[in-house]
Amino acid sequence: MVDWDGPLTEAYERATTYLAGLPERRVGPRATAPELRQALGGALPQGPTDPQEVIAHLAKGVEEGLLPSGSGRFFGFVFGGATPASLAADWLTTTWDQNAGLYAASPAAAVVEEVTAEWLVELFGLPRGTSVGFVTGAQMANFTALAAARHEVLRRAGWDVERDGLIGAPAIRVLAGAERHDTIDRALRFLGLGTNCIVPIAVDDQGRLKPEALAEALSDAGPQIVCAQAGNVNTGAFDPVKTICDLAHDKGAWVHVDGAFGIWAAVSDKLQPLVDGIDCADSWATDAHKTLNVPYDSGLVFCAHPEPHRAAMSIRAAYLIQDENGERDSLDFNPEFSRRARGFAVYAAIRALGRSGIAEIVDRCHAMAVRFAETLAANQTETLAANQLAILNEVVLNQVLVRFGDDDELTRRVVRAVQDEGTCWMSGTTWQGKAAMRISVSNWTTDESDIDRSAAAVLQCLQRA
């Protein structure tokens, strides 16, 4: 008899204790790397250990080294939390242990992903028939979309890249904003195109790509891919996607939109104008583990042209069973072969929240980001000397950039002090050559009290710095 009850009960009790404690937990790790090694390391076990004891040992050993990114006062790296339905579905995903690569390996996983894909396409207002892949995150979503783009622009030039590779292929130019996310560059490296293929396009003071600069850089000949951005990782700013698509398509270029968190603005009636024209692009990348708040890891890639998507990703082998009725095999749209059934958690999140619940998360994260910026700015006027605090960006979505004393070292000291203090956690960044504090409001539980406590902590750290 296998004892499932012991270790699973231990895990459940420790999980619910952790989750219940998040609202008041110190936001930051409390143990050093040597302390964690001391708690968790030791000689290789030479014999079995009771599974319940293993879970208890693991949970106790990592406790002080966890970064509570599910807290409503965690504002670093655009991390979301996990909603109850998505977390529970993720637990079941592990229990069911389905390999979601083929329909034959898990009809349930395949159909859930098919249904969820249709919901997502509708949520974002993308063209009907758009193909969808469930990947690890926006890095692999960008990779997959750009692989489809590479296939298609070379096909139009008479080259089969999947058969003939890149040696001797027509050169591809990739036009992307100077403030693009680094995952674009990394995806191009993975694809063998290299970063020298990038033509950087000038941006404005918020990081938005300038259409006139793009128009000047576009060519009348040769394969081209244009990368637009829905939600700059520092400012949250949106490129003018409709204008970009018009310019690029006029020159026969493929348009890809990196919308890791910003594309979710499409679900909000208030914020939807930020993504005007998003449906005109050819491919899109986003994360579910950010704005939708499902557990890590969960990325999504969309392609308005399923054939290039499938051509870039699909695989055939004698032992693989393709369904005789043509049911969807997810490995036709993903770079992975065997993989976790990520669609269950996304399905549960969308069914539990509905369109209105997702829109409420998007709108609340925006409202809380505005409140954070306004609270800091108001206190700067009332209690701080002039120029001690500046909000560097227009708070259009969920990002706030703050600089202190117009001084790089002071700004970095304040960021470190806030992280050490523990009320909240946010990261530092460099924006247009200057150090800044980067505040990302992405958690579904963040409320006014979280913002007010966190803003007060930032101001106290500034006064002590």
Side-chain angles (χ1 to χ4, degrees):
M1 295 294 293
V2 176
D3 175 20
W4 296 109
D5 187 61
L8 291 178
T9 299
E10 184 76 29
Y12 173 78
E13 290 176 352
R14 289 183 177 271
T16 51
T17 297
Y18 174 81
L19 292 168
L22 275 177
E24 295 306 321
R25 185 186 176 103
R26 181 186 187 278
V27 187
R30 293 174 284 197
T32 64
E35 289 170 338
L36 291 168
R37 293 188 189 101
Q38 178 67 30
L40 296 161
L44 171 69
Q46 297 301 308
T49 303
D50 177 72
Q52 184 170 357
E53 181 183 333
V54 170
I55 297 304
H57 173 80
L58 173 64
K60 181 180 179 181
V62 304
E63 173 69 17
E64 300 297 304
L66 297 173
L67 180 62
S69 54
S71 167
R73 298 188 307 282
F74 182 86
F75 305 111
F77 305 125
V78 203
F79 288 180
T83 59
S86 67
L87 176 57
D90 198 61
W91 284 4
L92 286 173
T93 299
T94 300
T95 300
W96 294 330
D97 195 24
Q98 302 291 281
N99 184 335
L102 287 170
Y103 173 85
S106 180
V111 171
V112 163
E113 288 193 2
E114 177 186 320
V115 171
T116 307
E118 292 174 357
W119 288 350
L120 289 161
V121 168
E122 182 179 347
L123 274 171
F124 296 143
L126 304 182
R128 292 190 64 177
T130 291
S131 54
V132 183
F134 292 75
V135 293
T136 55
Q139 173 68 80
M140 293 314 294
N142 281 326
F143 167 84
T144 304
L146 290 172
R150 181 186 65 173
H151 166 89
E152 181 61 14
V153 298
L154 286 177
R155 184 197 66 79
R156 295 172 190 171
W159 189 270
D160 186 337
V161 68
E162 282 74 36
R163 182 189 65 199
D164 299 326
L166 287 171
I167 297 175
I172 296 175
R173 300 169 76 236
V174 178
L175 295 84
E179 291 290 346
R180 65 192 175 276
H181 196 276
D182 289 336
T183 53
I184 295 295
D185 299 52
R186 194 170 185 227
L188 295 172
R189 286 164 40 206
F190 290 170
L191 289 165
L193 297 175
T195 54
N196 276 346
C197 75
I198 298 173
V199 180
I201 307 300
V203 297
D204 65 15
D205 64 347
Q206 295 296 301
R208 292 178 289 248
L209 184 149
K210 292 183 177 180
E212 62 273 18
L214 175 63
E216 186 177 341
L218 281 164
S219 171
D220 287 315
Q224 298 177 106
I225 301 168
V226 176
C227 293
Q229 189 167 223
N232 180 281
V233 73
N234 282 304
T235 66
F238 288 69
D239 288 344
V241 178
K242 177 64 166 65
T243 302
I244 289 169
C245 288
D246 290 343
L247 291 169
H249 289 158
D250 185 58
K251 299 293 186 181
W254 176 290
V255 178
H256 170 64
V257 178
D258 176 9
F261 59 93
I263 198 173
W264 294 90
V267 188
S268 162
D269 291 340
K270 177 182 177 181
L271 299 173
Q272 192 280 331
L274 291 170
V275 293
D276 180 49
I278 201 87
D279 58 313
C280 299
D282 299 289
S283 60
W284 306 262
T286 192
D287 281 315
H289 56 228
K290 289 185 170 68
T291 306
L292 189 60
N293 280 250
V294 305
Y296 275 87
D297 51 25
S298 187
L300 301 161
V301 58
F302 303 84
C303 188
H305 316 288
E307 284 314 306
H309 190 174
R310 187 190 298 269
M313 292 292 118
S314 66
I315 185 171
R316 292 292 181 268
Y319 73 95
L320 295 179
I321 302 172
Q322 268 74 45
D323 184 76
E324 62 183 14
N325 296 316
E327 297 293 351
R328 180 181 184 275
D329 291 323
S330 74
L331 55 72
D332 286 339
F333 305 101
N334 290 12
E336 297 103 338
F337 201 108
S338 298
R339 69 171 184 84
R340 181 178 176 80
R342 300 184 188 95
F344 290 132
V346 182
Y347 173 93
I350 296 174
R351 181 167 280 282
L353 291 165
R355 178 189 290 273
S356 63
I358 299 169
E360 196 276 333
I361 292 176
V362 175
D363 288 337
R364 183 149 47 85
C365 286
H366 173 237
M368 293 303 99
V370 170
R371 185 184 183 96
F372 213 137
E374 290 179 346
T375 301
L376 291 176
N379 279 275
Q380 131 96 20
T381 302
E382 295 173 7
T383 63
L384 300 175
N387 301 321
Q388 277 293 92
L389 184 154
I391 306 298
L392 302 182
N393 67 315
E394 302 164 10
V395 185
V396 297
L397 190 61
N398 66 325
Q399 301 293 98
V400 184
L401 282 183
V402 191
R403 182 167 169 81
F404 302 99
D406 198 20
D407 180 271
D408 285 354
E409 184 50 39
L410 174 61
T411 298
R412 295 187 182 110
R413 283 205 310 272
V414 174
V415 171
R416 289 193 296 268
V418 170
Q419 292 174 349
D420 291 342
E421 193 269 344
T423 296
C424 56
W425 201 100
M426 55 275 287
S427 57
T429 189
T430 300
W431 172 246
Q432 298 184 341
K434 295 183 177 182
M437 172 184 282
R438 176 171 168 265
I439 300 169
S440 303
V441 186
S442 308
N443 191 286
W444 69 285
T445 67
T446 300
D447 60 17
E448 289 85 352
S449 66
D450 290 317
I451 298 302
D452 295 345
R453 286 178 61 183
S454 299
V458 170
L459 292 166
Q460 288 172 4
C461 289
L462 171 59
Q463 291 170 336
R464 296 169 185 163

